[in-house]
Amino acid sequence: QQALAQVAETLQAPVLSTPGGNGAFGWDHELSLQSWVEDRYVTEVLEDADVLIVVGSSLGEVTSNYFTLTPRGRMIQIDAEPRVLESNTPALGLRADAKAALEFLAEELRRTGHQARVDWHGQSPQQLVAQTLEKVQRRLESQDLDKERRFMADIRQAVPERMQTYWDMTIAAYWGWSCWDARQGQFHSAQGAGGLGFGYPAAIGGAVGLETQGLGHAEARVLAVSGDGSAMYSIAELATAKQHNVPVTWLIVDDGGYGILREYMEGAFGKATATELARPDFVALAESFGIPARQVPVEEVGQALRESFAAEGPNVVVVQTLLKMFAPTHLEA
């Protein structure tokens, strides 16, 4: 984080965090484009740069805004995995550890006394970032997304500053890729349908790891977020969490099926097919393992999480609601 901040500030370069890189750069930093990787306004900033430095990303489907990113300038791509380099976009590929490369670059910029001379069509980088984020917010405000934005804000307000969060493949996680401020914690998510079921077992492993590092039970608590479809890939882990009294809170957003597939199908074909699921009573199921659980209205998710975080051992919070995604912008390209 320190090396990235030094490089960005020396170069006066706006920084966009990918879902996998969430937390690497200060969310509220004046050069931060945050994580709005799926917004065309942000994609256009990346495309307009004379030099685009990509650290630790292959510029895959999500990060490239569904492969619509077409940089007009030179691109430098740094990654420890050589097969990633230039795999999706022409670039100068540098095989290196991200931290080591950023530290080297920061030191070279300091040693040479580099002075940034940045002009974004008459704007400063800070002005460009602020105006871009304002346009992103106006786009969201033009859609009927008040419930979704409030839901994500309520979760963010409830989660302690340093808590690690683990997100399964569910609509709340797709929102999280773009809008989640990791603060002093860590943001972990699966990407791709092959990641279904990741959230809860990953969170258990994370909590156990934190306890192994010597943190107390309360400080080691983590949050897992799943949909009802992805939750059913991980039911057996309720037994693991109970047996080892793991401090993990599992938020299950139950929308009756595979919500994102439902939305994709309805958008493309006008109706969804085979997206609805027969599913258990998640509260009763958790309680059958001896794990405290409750179902709450969507408006009470924040308070329910705060109370769950203060409890001992594993617990489950279920919210039955339909969440929508913000409109895709890659179709505008």
Side-chain angles (χ1 to χ4, degrees):
Q1 291 181 345
Q2 183 178 357
L4 175 57
Q6 289 175 347
V7 170
E9 290 166 1
T10 302
L11 295 175
Q12 285 293 284
V15 176
L16 172 67
S17 297
T18 66
N22 189 311
F25 194 70
W27 189 263
D28 294 323
H29 192 287
E30 62 183 3
L31 291 172
S32 176
L33 289 165
Q34 301 175 354
S35 294
W36 294 100
V37 292
E38 295 186 61
D39 192 281
R40 191 67 205 166
Y41 291 131
V42 175
T43 305
E44 289 167 356
V45 173
L46 303 184
E47 291 177 334
D48 194 37
D50 292 324
V51 178
L52 176 62
I53 302 176
V54 179
V55 183
S57 172
S58 65
L59 290 184
E61 183 179 50
V62 174
T63 306
S64 66
N65 203 352
Y66 300 89
F67 301 113
T68 62
L69 173 67
T70 54
R72 69 164 182 82
R74 295 292 303 275
M75 192 174 97
I76 300 171
Q77 187 178 19
I78 301 169
D79 205 286
E81 172 51 70
R83 289 174 296 182
V84 164
L85 299 174
E86 305 178 66
S87 58
N88 290 313
T89 308
L92 170 62
L94 300 176
R95 184 183 184 185
D97 174 81
K99 183 173 183 289
L102 287 169
E103 288 176 344
F104 174 81
L105 181 55
E107 175 57 26
E108 283 297 296
L109 290 170
R110 185 202 63 77
R111 185 183 64 80
T112 59
H114 177 83
Q115 297 294 320
R117 296 182 297 275
V118 181
D119 182 353
W120 287 83
H121 308 293
Q123 289 183 307
S124 70
Q126 292 82 358
Q127 290 172 325
L128 173 73
V129 166
Q131 291 184 12
T132 302
L133 293 178
E134 286 175 6
K135 289 191 289 186
V136 171
Q137 291 306 311
R138 285 200 298 271
R139 190 199 299 277
L140 294 174
E141 290 165 2
S142 71
Q143 303 170 49
D144 181 21
L145 298 169
D146 289 348
K147 181 177 75 171
E148 288 76 10
R149 297 176 74 190
R150 183 72 261 164
F151 182 73
M152 295 303 296
D154 287 345
I155 298 173
R156 178 59 276 181
Q157 290 170 11
V159 171
E161 293 280 322
R162 296 183 178 277
M163 180 173 283
Q164 295 192 21
T165 58
Y166 295 79
W167 302 73
D168 223 312
M169 294 296 293
T170 185
I171 288 179
Y174 303 143
W175 272 94
W177 290 352
S178 292
C179 76
W180 186 260
D181 176 4
R183 298 183 182 172
Q184 301 303 309
Q186 294 180 16
F187 176 89
H188 307 270
S189 76
Q191 287 183 247
L196 277 167
F198 158 88
Y200 194 50
I204 291 173
V208 170
L210 290 173
E211 288 190 310
T212 302
Q213 293 174 20
L215 291 182
H217 199 72
E219 292 77 15
R221 180 167 293 279
V222 300
L223 171 67
V225 182
S226 300
D228 52 298
S230 58
M232 288 194 287
Y233 281 71
S234 306
I235 295 302
E237 303 309 329
L238 287 166
T240 304
K242 175 61 178 179
Q243 183 165 341
H244 299 285
N245 197 38
V246 182
V248 56
T249 294
W250 194 7
L251 173 62
I252 300 175
V253 185
D254 182 356
D255 64 5
Y258 290 123
I260 194 65
L261 298 183
R262 180 193 298 129
E263 188 163 310
Y264 287 163
M265 285 185 175
E266 289 175 350
F269 309 114
K271 67 174 183 178
T273 303
T275 58
E276 311 313 292
L277 297 173
R279 59 204 191 283
D281 178 334
F282 287 105
V283 171
L285 180 63
E287 289 177 339
S288 73
F289 284 88
I291 294 177
R294 56 175 157 165
Q295 180 174 313
V296 298
V298 65
E299 299 84 3
E300 298 177 14
V301 66
Q303 182 60 30
L305 287 176
R306 280 186 284 271
E307 293 171 359
S308 297
F309 295 153
E312 291 291 323
N315 48 53
V316 174
V317 176
V318 179
V319 176
Q320 287 190 343
T321 189
L322 295 174
L323 299 177
K324 297 184 299 184
M325 277 300 295
F326 45 81
T329 65
H330 61 276
L331 303 178
E332 302 171 12

